[in-house]
Amino acid sequence: MEANKFFPEVHGNFAFGCMRLPMKNEQVDYEEFSRMADAFIDAGFNYFDTAHGYINGLSETAIRDCVSKRYDRSRFLLTNKLTDPYFNKQEDIRPFFEKQLELCGVEYFDFYLMHAQNRENYKKFKACNAYETAYELKKEGLIKHLGLSFHDKAEVLDMILTEHPEIEVVQIQFNYLDYEDENVESRRVYEVCEKHNKPVLVMEPVKGGSLVNLPKEADDVLRSLNGGSNASYAVRFAASFPQIAVVLSGMSDMAQMEDNISTMKDFKPLTEEERVAVGNVCGIFKGLNLVPCTSCRYCVEENHCPKEIRIPDMFAALNAHEAFHNWNSAMYYNSVLTTGGHSKASECIKCGKCEKVCPQHLEIRNLLVKVADTFEKA
Ligand code: SF4
Ligand code: SF4
């Protein structure tokens, strides 16, 4: 496995994102996660990524039990993040950081990111001297590389990187569907990273699975190429750009792990023919008008919806209904999504809490009206 061109301690250019781990009875499936971690490390990779809020805190402890306890610290790298809801003043940051080290079972983090930066929460990070506090932790050797993850317009990133040149690396949402998207601005955000000479970590290369389970017409476009899974084209698209250091993939089962390993172990950039094909897939997607939800679950896990509305699952059902004409979606909505204490879309009280944490800046309240119209009036 070749050393990473930006960070020699990183093996290759592929990382294990631990936001969507395999689950069993609402707990992380340790057996499956351990098998996946073993396959990942055996293939020569070493970069794991987590955050305190992932899977309601279960991601960090799963890493402790399935990776940190089972591997010597020299065999893996770990990224964690400072996330908005978990501090309110500067004095909160160090104890929170120390708790994260303990939960993950490690004595330092290889990368530590100011999480999900945007124009709004950057104000809070500034007021709490979060960047300065993290930089102190770096000087003490508890953080090897300081970075940020980002969800906003390119001009906001330009401002932050100008104010904080000590940031070494930037994690951005980057995939072929968002590349020219006017809301996400992947291309423009990437160009800001180039301008500031910051290596890029890619999140959401398959857009929360949207680029894996393609509508038939789009699926046919990729099937006409020379083999390779739908995920492989998306991951290779992201990894083909020169400023990309690592592509993270949030994997939930062994099949996804094996597919990604086979793609990235002997990585090859997209050919011109393949680039044209993914451009055609973008054109097909645009005509479908789908909800661009990535299933990150921030709206239900970091924010506690007072009505327990299963927002991302409802958007997935709506997209399945629109893209695949999946008529089972209505039955699923009524018999699963809106039972067990979870309210219907029409019962949203429009408090707006969910929209404040949505990294995609979705108008969730309006979209839930569409969900209700589609499934509750049928
Ligand atoms: S706006 Fe609706 S969906 Fe969002 S948190 Fe409030 S009640 Fe829940
Ligand atoms: S609605 Fe927004 S916050 Fe909720 S899962 Fe989708 S992208 Fe994430």
Side-chain angles (χ1 to χ4, degrees):
M1 178 69 54
E2 276 182 36
N4 189 275
K5 64 182 172 182
F6 295 101
F7 302 102
E9 70 272 42
V10 176
H11 297 173
N13 58 354
F14 171 55
F16 192 165
C18 297
M19 187 166 81
R20 302 182 176 94
L21 294 175
M23 303 296 288
K24 201 183 204 174
N25 303 325
E26 304 202 354
Q27 297 296 319
V28 175
D29 181 342
Y30 275 20
E31 203 177 317
E32 180 74 348
F33 179 35
S34 297
R35 280 199 325 125
M36 291 166 70
D38 291 349
F40 180 71
I41 289 173
D42 286 349
F45 299 105
N46 62 348
Y47 185 120
F48 292 78
D49 171 277
T50 188
H52 188 63
Y54 291 175
I55 329 179
N56 282 322
L58 297 177
S59 172
E60 287 179 322
T61 47
I63 285 173
R64 177 193 64 205
D65 294 335
C66 302
V67 181
S68 308
K69 283 185 181 171
R70 297 175 60 244
Y71 283 94
D72 186 86
R73 189 66 178 88
S74 63
R75 301 284 306 278
F76 67 94
L77 306 174
L78 183 58
T79 293
N80 210 328
K81 310 186 184 82
L82 178 65
T83 310
D84 179 2
Y86 306 115
F87 67 98
N88 287 312
K89 53 187 183 312
Q90 183 173 5
E91 294 71 37
D92 296 340
I93 295 173
R94 186 177 284 264
F96 174 68
F97 177 86
E98 287 167 353
K99 183 172 151 196
Q100 288 182 293
L101 288 176
E102 189 184 332
L103 288 168
C104 292
V106 295
E107 291 175 344
Y108 62 89
F109 290 120
D110 299 276
F111 292 80
Y112 196 69
L113 311 183
M114 304 293 100
H115 196 181
Q117 297 294 275
N118 60 39
R119 191 184 293 279
E120 273 315 300
N121 70 15
Y122 178 58
K123 291 179 197 157
K124 178 176 175 180
F125 279 68
K126 262 179 109 160
C128 295
N129 287 323
Y131 285 68
E132 291 76 7
T133 309
Y135 196 61
E136 283 301 312
L137 293 164
K138 184 186 164 185
K139 284 200 281 190
E140 293 169 32
L142 298 171
I143 293 169
K144 303 297 179 195
H145 298 289
L146 185 58
L148 62 88
S149 71
F150 187 75
H151 288 284
D152 206 335
K153 301 289 184 193
E155 67 193 39
V156 179
L157 181 61
D158 197 20
M159 173 189 71
I160 297 176
L161 291 179
T162 302
E163 291 185 8
H164 289 287
E166 75 278 16
I167 288 296
E168 296 167 78
V169 62
V170 180
Q171 184 159 309
I172 67 172
Q173 178 166 327
F174 193 84
N175 58 66
Y176 64 74
L177 204 53
D178 290 328
Y179 188 62
E180 295 291 0
D181 184 275
E182 287 172 14
N183 288 320
V184 183
E185 290 192 347
S186 281
R187 176 177 59 76
R188 294 196 57 223
V189 168
Y190 171 83
E191 286 168 357
V192 170
C193 297
E194 274 191 324
K195 175 184 154 190
H196 288 267
N197 200 21
K198 306 295 180 193
V200 175
L201 311 169
V202 170
M203 58 183 153
E204 304 292 2
V206 297
K207 203 170 167 61
S210 302
L211 303 183
V212 177
N213 301 312
L214 295 174
K216 179 164 186 331
E217 202 186 336
D219 196 62
D220 288 345
V221 171
L222 297 188
R223 292 283 68 73
S224 71
L225 298 170
N226 307 316
S229 66
N230 292 344
S232 72
Y233 292 109
V235 171
R236 286 174 57 220
F237 172 87
S240 296
F241 288 75
Q243 198 67 15
I244 303 296
V246 164
V247 177
L248 285 110
S249 178
M251 294 166 278
S252 308
D253 61 43
M254 194 64 177
Q256 292 171 358
M257 173 62 78
E258 285 171 348
D259 183 36
N260 278 326
I261 287 173
S262 72
T263 304
M264 298 305 280
K265 203 169 171 186
D266 184 24
F267 167 70
K268 290 193 175 57
L270 286 189
T271 63
E272 191 49 39
E273 182 194 18
E274 290 166 337
R275 280 192 169 277
V276 170
V278 299
N280 292 339
V281 170
C282 289
I284 293 166
F285 259 99
K286 284 208 177 82
L288 291 170
N289 202 19
L290 302 179
V291 180
C293 167
T294 61
S295 294
C296 68
R297 307 196 77 82
Y298 289 1
C299 56
V300 288
E301 290 178 358
E302 299 213 352
N303 155 63
H304 193 73
C305 167
K307 301 296 288 180
E308 303 263 353
I309 293 173
R310 301 178 75 164
I311 301 164
D313 308 293
M314 287 185 179
F315 291 163
L318 184 65
N319 284 347
H321 184 270
E322 305 281 315
F324 305 110
H325 307 297
N326 183 347
W327 304 109
N328 287 335
S329 299
M331 194 165 68
Y332 182 64
Y333 176 86
N334 288 301
S335 60
V336 177
L337 294 184
T338 54
T339 57
H342 298 284
S343 298
K344 295 179 177 175
S346 59
E347 292 169 318
C348 164
I349 58 172
K350 306 210 180 297
C351 66
K353 282 174 72 185
C354 51
E355 292 183 14
K356 286 202 180 109
V357 298
C358 176
Q360 308 303 319
H361 311 294
L362 299 183
E363 293 182 354
I364 294 174
R365 289 170 286 189
N366 287 341
L367 289 165
L368 287 176
V369 172
K370 187 176 178 191
V371 170
D373 285 349
T374 305
F375 295 132
E376 295 177 30
K377 294 185 179 163

